[in-house]
C-alpha cells in the first residue's frame, strides 16, 4: 500500500517503508521510478518512459523491457503502487508522501506571501523538505534535460529567493553556509555569487564580500576566460561605495530576473527586468522561461568557451545598435561535445538574457522535427496557451517573432539537419541570440558565426579525465591515462564515457580499463556507459547518408592506409573519379571522414580510429565477402597502375585481426606488396 511509503527525489532517489530504506539497485528501474515521481498523479506514456530510458535509440524490445521494469518495481514497492492506465503508467500519491509535493506546496505559499517574516519562514520550510540537488544518482540524460532540468532550476531559484527573504528580515549571517554551498556546486551561477556578496556585506563583513567578488572573478577568468557580468559588477560597485550608495544605507544589487517586471514598452522599465508581453490570441505569458539542461561542470574547453561567451555577452552591450540577432553555429563530428558546449555557454550567459533561455532538440527518434512542431513547443514555453497556437505556419512564425520582439531571450537549437529547418526558428529581434548545433556547417545562414569543434588535445583530454575521476587518480597512473586518451582518439564523448566508467568503479585501476580498450574488436563495446555510447553517436551521421554513401563509408574502411586519395577510393568503389569525389566530400561534410591537403599528393581522406572501427563493423555485417574482396582488389590494382607520383603512400595503421582475411595476393605476388600498405577484406 502507498500509505506506508515515503519517496524523496531531492538528493539521491530514496524510498522508505515505515521508515526502513528500500533498495532499488538497478539504474534503469530508478530512472522509471524517478520519471513517474516527477509527474506524480499524472499519466506518463510508455513512449515517454522509453525516451527517458534509451533516448532516441531504443532497443526493438523496448516496450516489453519497460513492462519488465514496471513488474520489478511493483514487486519491490507493492503491486498497487504503479498503476496501469490506458496510455501508460502513473503513481497516485498524496502530497505528504513525496518530498517534491511538500516542497511545491510550501514554495507556492511563500511566493504568494507578502509579510516578510512569514515569507522567510515559508521559504525556509520549503527547502527543509529537500536534501540538496535533485536526481543526483539518476543516469538518464533525457530526464535531466527535461523534467529534471526544470526542477533543478526551480530549486536553485527557491534557494536564492529564500536568501533574499531571510536578508529582508535581517538574518544575513544565517544564509551564508547555504549560499557558500550553492556557489561551490554551481560555480558559474553569478546570481548566487551576488547574493553571497550581499549577505556578507549586510552582516558587516565588507572585506569578505569584496574578496568573494575577486574569487568569483578569478574563477570566471581562469575557467571561462571572461569577466563577471553586469549583475555581479554592479554589486561590487555598490559594496565599494558603501552606505552612501543608497539612502537606506544598504546595497541592492538585485538581479534582473527577480526585479519588478518592466513597463511593457520593450525597454524593461525602471525595475531593470522584463516579462514577456501578452500577444493577441495568447492566453497569458510566461516570465523568463528556462528550459536549459544541466551543465557538465567537468567538461570544459576554456578557450573556445571564452570566445563564444564574449560574443553572446556583446549582444547586451550593443543590442540597441545591432540590426540582426547574433547566431552561433557549432558544428562538428558526432561525439565532439557540441551539445555540451552549447549548454555550458548558455548557462554562462544567462544573466545577459533575463527574459528566458530556451532549449529544444531538433531530432526525435530517428528523424528530424518539422519547424512547425518546434515552433509550437517554443511559443508554448513563451506563455501561449496550447489552444491559442495558430494552425497556419506563417501566423505561427509571426507570433513567435512577436513574442521575442524587444526581449532578451537566448534560443538553443540542438541537432539541426540543415538551414531550411533552422531559419524559421531563429529570432528576428537584435536583442536575442541563438546557438545552433549541427553535424554540417550551416553555411548559408546569414549573420552567423561558425565554430567547428574538433578533437581534444592530449592535455585537454587528460584534464577532463582528471576532473571526472580526480587528479590524484590520474597522477598515480600517468602512463595508463595516456593510453586511455590514445584509445579514445581524443574524442570528447569517449573520454567522458571512460571517465564515467572509472568513476562508478573506484576499485578499478586505470590500467584495467586501458587493457580492455586495447582490442579493436572490443573497443566500441567498452565505450558505453548508461545511455551514452560511441557506436550510437556515430550511427546518427551514418543514418543521414543515402545508400551509395553508406556503401562507400563501409567499404573504404577496409583500406588500411593512414590516408587515401580520390583515385584509390574510386577504384575500390567502382566509380568514376568525379562521382567518388562527391561521395567523399559528403562523408567529410558529415564528419565521417577527415580531409587534408598533402603537398605533392593533393587531397587525402582518412578515418578517425573509432570511426574506422564502426565502419568496419558495418561492412562485415552488411557487405558480402565478394564485395569486400572486390573493393580491396580494385584498390590494389589502381595502386600498381598509378602514374608516377600520383599515389603517395603514407604509413598505414596496423592491419586488423579477427574475422578479417588478407586479400590481394591472388591478384598480385605477395612480394609486390609494399610494407607500408595494408588491406583487409
Amino acid at each position: 500500500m502507498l500509505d506506508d511509503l515515503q519517496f524523496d527525489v531531492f538528493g539521491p532517489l530514496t524510498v522508505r517503508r515505515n521508515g526502513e530504506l528500500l533498495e532499488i539497485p538497478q539504474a534503469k528501474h530508478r530512472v522509471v521510478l524517478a520519471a513517474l515521481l516527477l509527474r506524480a498523479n499524472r499519466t506518463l506514456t510508455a513512449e515517454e518512459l522509453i525516451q527517458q530510458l534509451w533516448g532516441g535509440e531504443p532497443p526493438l524490445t523496448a516496450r516489453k523491457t519497460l513492462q519488465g521494469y514496471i513488474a520489478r518495481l511493483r514487486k519491490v514497492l507493492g503491486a498497487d503502487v504503479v498503476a496501469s492506465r490506458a496510455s501508460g503508467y502513473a503513481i497516485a500519491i498524496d502530497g505528504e508522501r513525496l518530498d517534491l509535493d511538500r516542497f511545491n506546496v510550501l514554495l507556492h505559499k511563500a511566493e504568494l506571501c507578502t509579510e516578510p517574516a512569514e515569507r522567510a519562514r515559508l521559504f525556509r520550510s520549503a527547502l527543509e523538505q529537500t536534501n540538496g540537488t535533485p536526481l543526483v544518482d539518476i543516469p538518464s540524460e533525457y530526464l535531466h534535460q527535461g523534467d529534471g532540468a526544470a526542477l533543478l532550476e526551480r530549486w536553485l531559484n527557491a534557494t536564492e529567493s529564500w536568501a533574499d527573504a531571510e536578508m529582508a528580515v535581517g538574518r544575513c549571517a544565517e544564509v551564508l553556509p547555504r549560499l557558500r554551498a550553492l556557489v561551490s556546486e554551481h560555480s558559474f551561477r553569478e546570481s548566487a555569487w551576488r547574493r553571497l556578496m550581499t549577505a556578507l556585506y549586510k552582516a558587516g563583513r565588507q572585506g569578505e564580500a569584496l574578496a568573494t567578488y575577486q574569487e568569483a572573478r578569478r574563477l570566471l577568468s581562469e575557467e571561462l576566460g571572461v569577466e563577471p557580468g553586469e549583475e555581479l559588477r554592479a554589486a561590487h560597485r555598490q559594496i565599494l561605495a558603501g552606505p552612501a550608495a543608497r539612502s537606506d544605507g544598504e546595497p541592492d544589487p538585485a538581479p534582473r530576473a527577480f526585479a519588478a517586471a518592466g513597463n511593457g514598452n520593450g525597454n524593461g522599465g525602471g525595475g531593470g527586468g522584463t516579462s514577456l508581453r501578452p500577444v493577441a490570441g495568447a492566453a497569458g505569458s510566461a516570465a523568463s522561461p528556462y528550459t536549459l539542461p544541466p551543465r557538465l561542470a567537468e567538461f570544459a574547453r576554456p578557450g573556445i568557451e571564452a570566445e563564444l561567451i564574449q560574443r553572446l555577452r556583446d549582444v547586451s552591450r550593443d543590442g540597441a545598435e545591432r540590426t540582426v540577432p547574433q547566431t552561433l553555429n557549432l558544428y562538428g563530428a558526432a561525439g565532439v561535445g557540441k551539445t555540451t558546449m552549447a549548454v555550458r555557454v548558455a548557462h554562462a550567459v544567462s544573466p545577459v538574457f533575463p527574459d528566458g533561455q530556451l532549449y529544444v532538440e531538433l531530432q526525435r527518434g530517428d528523424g528530424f522535427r518539422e519547424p512547425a512542431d518546434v515552433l509550437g513547443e517554443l511559443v508554448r514555453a513563451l506563455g501561449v496557451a496550447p489552444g491559442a497556437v495558430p494552425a497556419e505556419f506563417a501566423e505561427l512564425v509571426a507570433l513567435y517573432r512577436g513574442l521575442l520582439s524587444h526581449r532578451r531571450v537566448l534560443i538553443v537549437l540542438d541537432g539541426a539537419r540543415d538551414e531550411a529547418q533552422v531559419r524559421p526558428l531563429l529570432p528576428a529581434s537584435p536583442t536575442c541570440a541563438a546557438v545552433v548545433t549541427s553535424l554540417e556547417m550551416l553555411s548559408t545562414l546569414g549573420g552567423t558565426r561558425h565554430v567547428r569543434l574538433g578533437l581534444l588535445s592530449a592535455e585537454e583530454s587528460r584534464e577532463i579525465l582528471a576532473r571526472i575521476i580526480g587528479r590524484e587518480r590520474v597522477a598515480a597512473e600517468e602512463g595508463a591515462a595516456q593510453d586511455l586518451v590514445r584509445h579514445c582518439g581524443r574524442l570528447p564523448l569517449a573520454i567522458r564515457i571512460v571517465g564515467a566508467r572509472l568513476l562508478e568503479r573506484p576499485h578499478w585501476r586505470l590500467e584495467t580499463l586501458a587493457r580492455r580498450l586495447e582490442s579493436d574488436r572490443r573497443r566500441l563495446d567498452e565505450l558505453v556507459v548508461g545511455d551514452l555510447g560511441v557506436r550510437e553517436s556515430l550511427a546518427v551521421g551514418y543514418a543521414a547518408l543515402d545508400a551509395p554513401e553508406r556503401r562507400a563509408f563501409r567499404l573504404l574502411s577496409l583500406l588500411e592506409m593512414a590516408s587515401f586519395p580520390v583515385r584509390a577510393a574510386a577504384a575500390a568503389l567502382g566509380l568514376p573519379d568525379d562521382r567518388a569525389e562527391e561521395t567523399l566530400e559528403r562523408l567529410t561534410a558529415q564528419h565521417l571522414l577527415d580531409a587534408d591537403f598533402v603537398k605533392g599528393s593533393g587531397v587525402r581522406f582518412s578515418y578517425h580510429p573509432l570511426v574506422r572501427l564502426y565502419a568496419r563493423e558495418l561492412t562485415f555485417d552488411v557487405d558480402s565477402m565478394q564485395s569486400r574482396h572486390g573493393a580491396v582488389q580494385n584498390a590494389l590494382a589502381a595502386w600498381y597502375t598509378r602514374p608516377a607520383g600520383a599515389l603517395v603512400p603514407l604509413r598505414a595503421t596496423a592491419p586488423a585481426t579477427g574475422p578479417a582475411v588478407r586479400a590481394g595476393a591472388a591478384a598480385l605476388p605477395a612480394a609486390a606488396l609494399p610494407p607500408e600498405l595494408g588491406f583487409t577484406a
Side-chain angles (χ1 to χ4, degrees), residues 72 109 119 136 166 255 260 274 401 410 433 437 447 519 566 575 580 607 616 623 670:
R72 293 186 185 97
K109 290 180 179 179
R119 178 179 172 85
V136 294
E166 295 283 23
T274 60
R401 290 176 176 167
L410 177 65
T437 72
S519 168
V566 171
L575 296 174
Y607 286 87
R616 183 115 6 123
D623 300 305

Side-chain angles (χ1 to χ4, degrees), residues 188-210:
F188 299 141
R189 192 175 177 90
E190 295 186 29
S191 55
W193 284 102
R194 200 260 328 158
R195 285 173 170 82
L196 178 57
M197 290 166 55
T198 302
L200 286 167
Y201 179 81
K202 289 185 174 183
R205 295 152 69 171
Q206 183 178 16
E208 290 182 57
L210 295 173

Side-chain angles (χ1 to χ4, degrees), residues 7-128:
F7 299 91
D8 293 335
V9 297
F10 287 96
L13 177 68
T14 58
V15 184
R16 291 180 175 82
R17 174 176 282 123
N18 297 325
E20 295 294 326
L21 187 66
L22 293 182
E23 292 291 339
I24 304 178
Q26 295 298 321
K28 295 292 189 184
H29 300 173
R30 297 170 70 81
V31 171
V32 173
L33 180 58
L36 291 170
L37 288 172
L38 290 189
R39 299 198 195 179
N41 301 308
R42 289 175 289 170
T43 300
L44 205 59
T45 67
E47 288 73 19
E48 288 174 309
L49 286 169
I50 287 170
Q51 185 179 57
Q52 309 290 15
L53 287 163
W54 295 287
E57 298 288 337
L60 294 176
T61 59
R63 189 173 291 271
K64 184 175 181 180
T65 303
L66 172 61
Q67 291 170 352
Y69 294 163
I70 295 292
R72 293 186 185 97
L73 281 175
R74 286 170 172 163
K75 185 175 181 180
V76 174
L77 303 177
D80 58 345
V81 172
V82 181
S84 295
R85 302 282 172 81
S87 58
Y89 303 94
I91 287 184
I93 183 173
D94 68 75
E96 289 302 311
R97 303 297 171 184
L98 177 62
D99 61 348
L100 173 57
D101 283 347
R102 298 193 301 271
F103 167 76
N104 283 334
V105 168
L106 289 165
L107 182 60
H108 181 66
K109 290 180 179 179
E111 290 169 341
L112 295 178
C113 183
T114 58
E115 198 282 315
E118 179 63 8
R119 178 179 172 85
R121 187 193 68 79
L122 287 169
F123 274 121
R124 192 183 319 129
S125 297
L127 291 179
E128 286 171 354

Side-chain angles (χ1 to χ4, degrees), residues 344-397:
R344 284 181 60 88
V345 169
H347 276 284
V349 300
S350 58
V352 177
F353 299 96
D355 299 326
Q357 302 94 49
L358 300 178
Y359 170 92
V360 290
E361 292 181 325
L362 301 185
Q363 287 180 270
R364 181 165 289 166
D366 293 333
F368 290 90
R369 301 171 64 185
E370 291 300 318
D373 178 38
V374 180
L375 282 171
E377 178 181 340
L378 287 168
V379 299
R380 288 192 297 272
L382 289 165
V384 177
V389 176
E392 291 294 328
F393 184 69
E395 294 180 12
L396 184 56
V397 173

Side-chain angles (χ1 to χ4, degrees), residues 494-507:
I495 297 292
R496 180 180 169 191
I497 290 171
V498 163
R501 292 196 66 189
L502 290 170
L503 184 65
E504 66 184 14
R505 295 171 176 84
H507 56 285

